[in-house]
Amino acid sequence: MKKILLALVCVLGLAGCMSTGDGSAKVTRLDADTQTDLSGYWNDTDVRIVTDSLVSECVNSPAVTAFNQVKKRTPIVIVGSFRNQSDEHIDTSILAKKFESSLINSGKVDFVASASERGEVRDERNDQQVNSSEETAKSLRNETGADFMLIGSVKTIIDSSGKQTTRTYYVNAELIDIETNRKLWVGDNSSIKKLIKQSNYRP
């Protein structure tokens, strides 16, 4: 009986240590625009720097300016794929969405839904043909076709020596005429270069 009680006391003591130890997390909320570089890998600051730079180049390119002058309207753009060709995991859908929002907010281009988004909208439109009133059902075959497609990629170059590493990110974006396949604008941003110094810390 004494052994059982002693074992129970030990278990409760360990549980108390685990719940009140110093390993609890401390969370500090930051402003979304605060630059934070903890690991040296791709992060939200890099997305912001790249899109701000390339979007400005794109909307002020000769191709977009010429389209506005000839067609007397803003070009309609669709976002294609942004490929991750780097050495790390990068969710390029975040980069693509940031490009989309920045381009729309520039007021110099219009956007249509992506391929995956169109599928969902088409399902809803087809459903309306059966279940909605004639006055409110949206017409079929009345979509707006895009003039240009924006595609791109992310690549990295790594250089290491001892405890120091440099990571350079190359983000490429291309604006392509959907009817002719002509590349109307190519943007290349390589301003993301990081020097990472390893300490002697061992967790």
Side-chain angles (χ1 to χ4, degrees):
M1 188 65 180
K2 289 182 178 179
K3 290 182 178 180
I4 295 175
L5 290 173
L6 181 60
L8 182 59
V9 170
C10 290
V11 170
L12 291 174
L14 287 172
C17 290
M18 291 173 65
S19 62
T20 60
D22 296 330
S24 58
K26 180 180 180 182
V27 179
T28 302
R29 292 192 178 275
L30 304 174
D31 185 272
D33 293 331
T34 301
Q35 180 173 328
T36 55
D37 286 288
L38 302 179
S39 65
Y41 289 102
W42 180 263
N43 59 31
D44 62 313
T45 301
D46 302 325
V47 172
R48 188 166 60 250
I49 292 172
V50 165
T51 52
D52 286 350
S53 172
L54 290 179
V55 164
S56 177
E57 289 182 27
C58 180
V59 297
N60 293 297
S61 65
V64 172
T65 300
F67 187 96
N68 290 333
Q69 293 174 346
V70 174
K71 300 290 186 178
K72 305 301 180 184
R73 65 175 176 84
T74 56
I76 300 169
V77 181
I78 186 172
V79 175
S81 62
F82 271 75
R83 302 179 307 280
N84 177 20
Q85 298 177 320
S86 72
D87 70 320
E88 64 185 87
H89 172 72
I90 294 177
D91 186 348
T92 54
S93 66
I94 297 175
L95 182 62
K97 274 298 179 184
K98 180 62 176 174
F99 266 112
E100 182 175 339
S101 63
S102 296
L103 284 167
I104 291 175
N105 291 336
S106 73
K108 296 187 177 182
V109 299
D110 289 326
F111 265 83
V112 292
S114 66
S116 60
E117 293 167 336
R118 287 199 305 272
E120 188 173 354
V121 175
R122 285 169 180 165
D123 287 343
E124 169 61 24
R125 194 157 50 238
N126 286 326
D127 183 78
Q128 288 185 9
Q129 308 309 308
V130 178
N131 298 304
S132 298
S133 65
E134 185 176 347
E135 293 78 14
T136 61
K138 301 304 176 284
S139 301
L140 298 175
R141 302 178 62 85
N142 198 31
E143 297 181 10
T144 299
D147 301 301
F148 306 145
M149 176 178 283
L150 182 72
I151 63 173
S153 63
V154 182
K155 302 177 181 179
T156 50
I157 292 180
I158 312 300
D159 187 21
S160 298
S161 178
K163 295 182 178 180
Q164 294 192 133
T165 301
T166 58
R167 303 183 64 84
T168 306
Y169 293 87
Y170 289 87
V171 181
N172 172 268
E174 301 177 356
L175 197 64
I176 299 175
D177 187 308
I178 292 178
E179 186 171 24
T180 65
N181 287 336
R182 290 173 55 224
K183 291 187 178 182
L184 304 175
W185 168 81
V186 176
D188 182 18
N189 188 302
S190 58
S191 62
I192 308 298
K193 188 170 186 177
K194 303 180 183 182
L195 174 62
I196 306 159
K197 297 181 179 180
Q198 301 292 339
S199 67
N200 294 323
Y201 172 73
R202 293 291 184 272

